[in-house]
Amino acid sequence: MKYTNATLILPDELVEELQKYIQAGYLYVPAKGERRKSWGELSGYRKELDQRNAAILSEYRRGISAEALADRYCLSIYAIRKIIYQK
């Protein structure tokens, strides 16, 4: 998430009004519905997890045990089973 100093982009009157409610803190301004990105979409982490999960599923189908996959990917057996059975 990118932080921007309010004094750089907002009119002074608006900054003064905001300061009545919050000072020296962080304020989250959500995007409107149509501009909203899903979790991990901006950073690319969602795609990275999808690729990892596909690799786990592929290895499991080739006969690698859930326990071995848990060790290899540093995940719990529960997390591995969740990945395997959700696809």
Side-chain angles (χ1 to χ4, degrees), residues 48-60:
E48 190 177 318
L49 284 180
D50 288 342
Q51 290 172 345
R52 181 206 65 188
N53 293 351
I56 288 171
L57 184 59
S58 174
E59 290 177 36
Y60 179 77

Side-chain angles (χ1 to χ4, degrees), residues 3-19:
Y3 295 103
T4 303
N5 187 329
T7 60
L8 298 176
I9 61 170
L10 299 176
D12 292 338
E13 302 83 31
L14 183 53
V15 172
E16 289 175 19
E17 187 65 27
L18 287 169
Q19 286 172 332

